[in-house]
Amino acid sequence: MKCLITGGAGFIGSHLADKLTGAGNHVVALDNLSTGRYENIAHLSGNGNFKIVVGSVLDEKIVDKLVDEADVVFHLAAAVGVDLIVKRPLESMTTNIKGSETVLEAAYRYHKKILIASTSEIYGKNVNGPLKEEDDRILGSPLKSRWSYSTAKAIDEILAYIYCKEKGLPTIIVRLFNTVGPRQTGAYGMVIPRFVAQALENKDITVFGDGNQSRCFLHVGDVVNALSKLMDAPAAVGEVFNIGSQEEISIKGLAERIIEMTGAKSKIIYIPYDKAYERGFEDMQRRIPDTTKINKLIGFKPTIGLEGIIKDVISYFSKPNK
Ligand code: UDP
């Protein structure tokens, strides 16, 4: 199969490129190398089944050509990371709304099956137990970057969903919960690469808020396995799926675990959200996915627990030049 991955040099996109080329598919990665990095896919450069096209999902001509040439599309290109979205809101919104619309329109033009990456941010402040796909969204003001990001992603979902319902375009929506692993950078706010990098340098570990907020982290390898299986599952079309782990840990607990596993001399410092992000910033206290739906369809189950994830990130950051 010829697969187009938008955001193919990004953290998740590059792992998906590894997975798909490894299975004998031809992969074209479209990436503007803004948050994606050439180093993520450099090892694929000699692979005849892989090609990188440096360009933007906002470029209608490039998108048109690449979608036409592909059999299926994985649309992962997006502005990601709470920190990036807070600091560059206009660019984030444009990429996430217009970019997705451009890719979806091209998929419709050539009738290509497309998987769209959405996010657990969709649920907003809904902290009720494991979140099911049909659960309510609870959002703050659209003038706060976090909620405008959530809304932009909801627009992507709506477009993908109605292209399917109204026009018969085969679309699949996935909501990715916290995803971690090698090649993820802490530069855009993600907590595990930040804590590991801090610990390896014996620097203070920066816990935002009181550290009682919790998350569940899934290894990127489990995520890309799920993405490729969903693309192959006819019953996934027209549906939305949570993808995430249910192994919950508080952020304070995470900091302690990382200090323990790295043997760092770091101490934990607590930084108020207002200082860490922006005035009035609202965090999610808790976020756990209900993964019954994806489990039923493709037998999804995480294979790497938090311990293995942290070990993998430590070994990634222990390599030179990371
Ligand atoms: N966080 C933190 N210190 C950091 C970066 C993040 O305490 O240096 C917290 C952040 O406030 C949030 C959690 O870790 O409560 C997860 O943050 P991340 O940005 O990785 O993911 P998300 O907020 O999207 O779940």
Side-chain angles (χ1 to χ4, degrees):
M1 248 187 352
K2 284 191 198 154
C3 308
L4 171 63
I5 308 176
T6 70
F11 160 53
I12 301 176
S14 64
H15 283 280
L16 183 61
D18 287 341
K19 162 98 197 153
L20 295 173
T21 50
N25 299 289
H26 186 79
V27 170
V28 174
L30 172 64
D31 204 301
N32 66 357
L33 301 182
S34 57
T35 56
R37 290 180 300 170
Y38 184 73
E39 302 91 274
N40 290 345
I41 40 102
H43 60 284
L44 288 171
S45 65
N47 186 326
N49 274 339
F50 180 80
K51 190 171 94 178
I52 171 88
V53 174
V54 179
S56 166
V57 283
L58 296 168
D59 184 333
E60 287 175 27
K61 266 198 184 154
I62 293 184
V63 169
D64 182 274
K65 179 172 181 289
L66 297 183
V67 171
D68 183 19
E69 290 169 356
D71 296 319
V72 296
V73 180
F74 291 87
H75 176 47
L76 306 187
V80 288
V82 176
D83 205 43
L84 178 74
I85 281 139
V86 167
K87 287 188 180 135
R88 287 158 32 195
L90 186 58
E91 185 190 325
S92 303
M93 287 306 107
T94 310
T95 306
N96 292 355
I97 299 176
K98 251 196 214 160
S100 298
E101 197 178 358
T102 304
V103 176
L104 271 165
E105 277 169 359
Y108 174 57
R109 216 157 28 244
Y110 300 109
H111 198 77
K112 298 292 164 72
K113 192 172 190 179
I114 176 166
L115 180 148
I116 295 258
S118 182
T119 165
S120 55
E121 294 276 328
I122 284 288
Y123 299 105
K125 292 185 269 190
N126 189 337
V127 289
N128 295 330
L131 293 158
K132 289 197 177 67
E133 284 82 354
E134 67 273 20
D135 279 351
D136 288 344
R137 307 179 58 216
I138 303 177
L139 303 180
S141 162
L143 303 188
K144 288 188 179 170
S145 309
R146 180 162 219 161
W147 312 128
S148 55
Y149 171 71
S150 172
T151 302
K153 283 300 203 174
I155 292 171
D156 294 353
E157 286 200 11
I158 293 164
L159 271 179
Y161 189 70
I162 58 184
Y163 260 114
C164 183
K165 293 292 164 228
E166 203 176 312
K167 303 282 189 189
L169 179 70
T171 64
I172 301 164
I173 301 163
V174 294
R175 291 188 187 145
L176 303 181
F177 283 63
N178 295 70
T179 303
V180 194
R183 302 181 199 156
Q184 186 177 45
T185 143
Y188 311 110
M190 279 76 164
V191 68
I192 292 189
R194 283 181 82 130
F195 284 4
V196 167
Q198 288 165 344
L200 289 176
E201 292 185 16
N202 292 307
K203 287 186 176 159
D204 291 345
I205 307 287
T206 55
V207 169
F208 300 160
D210 63 11
N212 288 321
Q213 72 273 30
S214 68
R215 293 292 188 274
C216 306
F217 298 93
L218 184 64
H219 193 280
V220 65
D222 284 322
V223 171
V224 300
N225 277 342
L227 299 184
S228 106
K229 278 191 187 160
L230 284 175
M231 186 58 101
D232 292 341
V237 168
E239 300 291 336
V240 54
F241 299 91
N242 288 334
I243 303 181
S245 152
Q246 293 184 315
E247 188 181 346
E248 189 177 10
I249 187 163
S250 73
I251 298 304
K252 180 172 178 270
L254 180 68
E256 288 164 354
R257 180 89 68 94
I258 290 173
I259 289 175
E260 191 188 303
M261 286 178 66
T262 51
K265 293 182 188 72
S266 307
K267 62 179 195 313
I268 297 175
I269 55 163
Y270 293 87
I271 301 175
Y273 287 118
D274 283 9
K275 272 209 181 138
Y277 297 107
E278 62 181 351
R279 264 186 65 160
F281 180 85
E282 295 175 278
D283 199 10
M284 257 72 92
Q285 274 309 109
R286 188 172 189 226
R287 194 161 56 191
I288 308 172
D290 182 310
T291 48
T292 311
K293 189 171 170 183
I294 189 169
N295 177 266
K296 265 196 189 146
L297 185 68
I298 59 162
F300 168 80
K301 238 182 175 181
T303 61
I304 305 174
L306 185 59
E307 184 92 2
I309 290 174
I310 297 173
K311 268 193 194 151
D312 225 8
V313 175
I314 292 173
S315 90
Y316 176 70
F317 275 96
S318 303
K319 287 185 201 148
N321 305 322
K322 283 291 166 294

